[in-house]
Amino acid sequence: MDCKRALEENQGDIDKALETLRKKGLAGAANRAGRTTQEGTVCSYVHHGGKVGVLVEVNCETDFVARTPEFQNLAKEVALQIAAAAPTWVRIEDVPAATLAKEKEIYVQQAAQSGKPAAALPKIVEGKLTKFYNDFCLLEQAHIRDTSGKTKVKDVIALAIADMKENITIRRFVRFQVGEDI
């Protein structure tokens, strides 16, 4: 029925109807963000050769969804992302205040030494912080399967929420690499 309504709203234009359905799904995902996620799975990934391993806890609302192949595949994709991209934190809010303050201090000094106008310095620092988040926060990283680099991990999670009609969160992860200190 949603498909039929979307086609009617867009006068039979299939591309516009698909876009409308995607927007509704993502809006539904935003509505689910506050729901509690107490069920889920712990997924492991060991890279070929055994040099890198990952454990990740991905949560959802119900045990029924946690056992679906789609949810299990999502957890595997997240584990693979962690193995490949080596994030340090799950989300921006997880970055310790001391680390953030130190990074800002470094970026302010770099911007001041760049010779750019003083009015541009805050934007330069903000851009460098965004790059820092994109490198070290899992949800902000570009998804490894998207060669364009436009799709972030949080977008993949949002699409999964829209498809599965449940809130999904990544609670925690640990990444091991041979010879690397934790």
Side-chain angles (χ1 to χ4, degrees):
M1 291 307 293
D2 289 338
C3 294
K4 182 178 177 183
R5 277 190 226 110
L7 279 169
E8 288 172 356
E9 289 173 15
N10 294 288
Q11 289 79 38
D13 187 334
I14 293 174
D15 292 332
K16 287 183 179 179
L18 286 171
E19 186 176 327
T20 300
L21 288 170
R22 288 188 69 203
K23 286 178 182 176
K24 283 183 180 179
L26 293 178
N31 292 339
R32 291 180 188 86
R35 293 186 185 171
T36 305
T37 54
Q38 295 293 321
E39 297 296 330
T41 189
V42 173
C43 182
S44 65
Y45 172 78
V46 177
H47 192 67
H48 302 292
K51 299 288 185 182
V52 177
V54 172
L55 285 175
V56 62
E57 180 181 349
V58 182
N59 297 125
C60 60
E61 296 174 42
T62 63
D63 185 43
F64 174 76
V65 168
R67 289 183 275 137
T68 63
E70 295 83 8
F71 186 83
Q72 295 295 321
N73 287 339
L74 175 67
K76 287 176 186 171
E77 282 293 313
V78 171
L80 184 63
Q81 174 80 28
I82 294 165
T88 307
W89 303 282
V90 175
R91 59 193 61 77
I92 291 173
E93 298 81 24
D94 297 342
V95 179
T99 302
L100 191 57
K102 184 177 178 182
E103 289 298 318
K104 279 184 182 178
E105 180 182 323
I106 291 168
Y107 299 150
V108 166
Q109 287 178 358
Q110 288 175 347
Q113 294 171 357
S114 70
K116 304 278 184 184
L121 297 183
K123 285 198 176 233
I124 292 170
V125 171
E126 190 62 36
K128 288 184 178 268
L129 275 175
T130 300
K131 172 80 170 95
F132 173 79
Y133 294 141
N134 290 343
D135 289 342
F136 295 104
C137 297
L138 173 64
L139 295 178
E140 301 302 317
Q141 289 182 333
H143 189 253
I144 58 172
R145 301 259 190 225
D146 179 19
T147 55
S148 72
K150 294 180 181 177
T151 304
K152 294 185 176 193
V153 174
K154 67 182 176 184
D155 299 330
V156 173
I157 300 295
L159 287 173
I161 291 170
D163 288 344
M164 294 181 213
K165 310 246 186 297
E166 278 203 11
N167 191 19
I168 298 171
T169 57
I170 300 170
R171 183 159 181 252
R172 57 189 167 175
F173 67 86
V174 64
R175 181 181 185 273
F176 297 97
Q177 185 165 348
V178 173
E180 188 176 88
D181 289 337
I182 294 178

